[in-house]
Amino acid sequence: MKALTYWPSIPRFLMARVLGKRYPVRLLPLRLDHLPEPEPRPGFEQLRVRLSGICGSDLALLYGKNSPALSPFFSFPAVLGHEIVAELGGVRVVVNPLLSCLERNLPPCPACGRGDDHLCQNVCEGNLSPGMVGFCRDLAGGWAERILVHRGRIHPLPEDIADRRAVLAEPLAVVLRGIQRSLATNWPREILVIGAGTIGLLAIKTIRLLGFAGPLHAVVRRARQAELARALGATHLHPSTTAAQAFAGAKRYRGVFNSTSWRGGFAAVVEASGNPSALQEASWAVEEGGRVLLLGAPGQALHDFSPYWFRDIRLFGSYTYNREEFAQAVQLLPQAEGIEALVGPPYALEAWPQAIEAASHRKGVKVVFKPQ
């Protein structure tokens, strides 16, 4: 079967880390391979992949932006792709890509025992290599024609949900968990979302689906993203975080060495861009005593933490989801009208350089592969 495999290379990792998006796409450590069919495993089913997304975490890996401290928790070479719509016996399904104690054939660790399998303490143990589907060398991810998935991680789709909407189930689950934990338990009076890529736009839609009726602001820099942000529920659009702070009436102060600080701002800020500088902006855009939800994945960054203790800011992070939250995201898909507009035309695996180029240069909000 055809599969797009990531082959780790320290020199290429370092060069991509230095050059960033200027690094030539065809020199990235990806290779279109012809692999054997997945070997059967007890409790696992073979699925035929229909669509698989390119996530920001995939791009971070390819362009050397991941923190080396996370490297023990993944295993390579691996077929990437963890946002997956597939078929099982003619039934369309979406895949929860996590691999916890159950899939690793281990007794439940304390986290899995209490239902927090996304925090599984055994992600490097058991009969599978470290990682989740798409970052595990033993199980191909969705950038392949066929994959093996544990039965407990397979979720059938309603017939009327298009593949283009369904492929967003996984990032929707990430967003859903973060918003439920940090905002929905006690809605703030207004919210600012920084970043209008897939995660930011899904955050706007999810905030509305969960019942928030107040002012919802978004920092948007591209016309198409602005159009989508409006359609999904944003009430105010701003060209920059600074412009949003000015709109909110925040007061700006100048310090030594041309430093900048603020008083006032938004009751809650969602940082969804994954840009390290945007997290710094978020820490000042939120008002004193407010909340910051980190949905982006900035990796390593030089960060000034003084706003958190000086202004009593609460910082929340959301990386994955537990089984129940993923199932909730799937159940939310019928209500999530319009999110399919985030997904562009699919690319064949053979066209991976064009797909990665489109994803890395934001020529589309969500770029997907159609392996078949």
Side-chain angles (χ1 to χ4, degrees):
M1 68 173 184
K2 289 182 296 185
L4 193 56
T5 308
Y6 171 78
W7 293 86
S9 165
I10 298 298
R12 292 190 185 193
F13 178 89
L14 294 175
M15 286 296 294
R17 193 178 185 92
V18 171
L19 295 176
K21 302 302 170 59
R22 294 172 296 160
Y23 189 78
V25 173
R26 291 185 180 275
L27 294 183
L28 291 171
L30 282 175
R31 191 170 77 196
L32 185 61
D33 292 321
H34 288 271
L35 301 180
E37 292 292 324
E39 294 185 6
R41 286 177 175 266
F44 285 70
E45 299 285 354
Q46 184 178 124
L47 308 183
R48 175 180 173 271
V49 178
R50 294 174 63 93
L51 287 182
S52 185
I54 300 176
C55 177
S57 59
D58 299 318
L59 295 175
L61 174 69
L62 293 172
Y63 285 96
K65 302 305 180 185
N66 279 356
S67 168
L70 298 180
S71 59
F73 306 111
F74 307 101
S75 55
F76 303 108
V79 177
L80 304 185
H82 58 278
E83 303 171 350
I84 305 167
V85 180
E87 241 178 62
L88 173 60
V91 176
R92 293 182 312 124
V93 301
V94 290
V95 172
N96 177 340
L98 300 191
L99 300 170
S100 59
C101 290
L102 175 63
E103 294 78 27
R104 296 177 178 279
N105 199 30
L106 295 170
C109 69
C112 288
R114 65 175 183 263
D116 289 331
D117 57 302
H118 64 300
L119 301 177
C120 177
Q121 297 171 10
N122 287 321
V123 294
C124 299
E125 314 298 332
N127 61 1
L128 291 169
S129 297
M132 56 192 265
V133 172
F135 293 98
C136 174
R137 64 171 165 256
D138 294 336
L139 294 172
W143 298 2
E145 293 182 299
R146 285 170 292 282
I147 59 175
L148 281 184
V149 178
H150 194 276
R151 293 188 189 103
R153 300 288 184 182
I154 299 172
H155 296 260
L157 283 168
E159 289 185 5
D160 58 345
I161 301 300
D163 285 359
R164 287 173 62 207
R165 187 187 300 186
V167 78
L168 296 171
E170 195 277 340
L172 180 63
V174 173
V175 170
L176 179 65
R177 173 180 172 76
I179 292 171
Q180 286 181 325
R181 289 181 63 242
S182 63
L183 303 179
T185 54
N186 179 23
W187 287 116
R189 69 179 183 278
E190 60 182 350
I191 301 170
L192 171 66
V193 177
I194 300 176
T198 300
I199 294 294
L201 292 169
L202 287 178
I204 291 169
K205 183 65 174 183
T206 304
I207 287 167
R208 291 305 191 199
L209 287 175
L210 293 181
F212 179 72
L216 181 49
H217 300 252
V219 174
V220 182
R221 294 186 171 90
R222 292 174 174 81
R224 176 57 177 157
Q225 291 174 333
E227 180 184 336
L228 290 167
R230 285 279 192 200
L232 295 174
T235 54
H236 300 79
L237 303 182
H238 308 280
S240 67
T241 305
T242 300
Q245 290 170 279
F247 182 90
K251 191 171 182 180
R252 186 175 188 170
Y253 295 87
R254 292 288 188 184
V256 296
F257 307 122
N258 202 33
S259 59
T260 303
S261 55
W262 298 78
R263 300 299 282 183
F266 295 87
V269 176
V270 177
E271 202 305 285
S273 73
N275 189 318
S277 63
L279 176 58
Q280 198 68 67
E281 291 176 2
S283 69
W284 286 110
V286 67
E287 69 182 7
E288 291 70 24
R291 289 168 272 176
V292 173
L293 170 59
L294 177 58
L295 288 178
Q300 288 183 313
L302 182 62
H303 188 67
D304 180 2
F305 283 90
S306 60
Y308 302 99
W309 59 263
F310 185 67
R311 306 173 72 233
D312 195 18
I313 305 303
R314 287 163 288 172
L315 176 63
F316 298 82
S318 181
Y319 164 59
T320 51
Y321 32 76
N322 60 31
R323 290 177 189 272
E324 181 181 346
E325 288 158 345
F326 191 92
Q328 288 175 354
V330 176
Q331 293 166 7
L332 204 59
L333 286 174
Q335 304 170 50
E337 297 95 345
I339 65 171
E340 58 272 14
L342 277 60
V343 180
Y347 288 80
L349 292 177
E350 292 84 352
W352 68 264
Q354 292 85 359
I356 299 297
E357 173 112 9
S360 63
H361 290 84
R362 299 179 185 271
K363 295 177 183 176
V365 176
K366 170 60 67 177
V367 179
V368 298
F369 286 113
K370 188 177 179 64
Q372 302 294 331

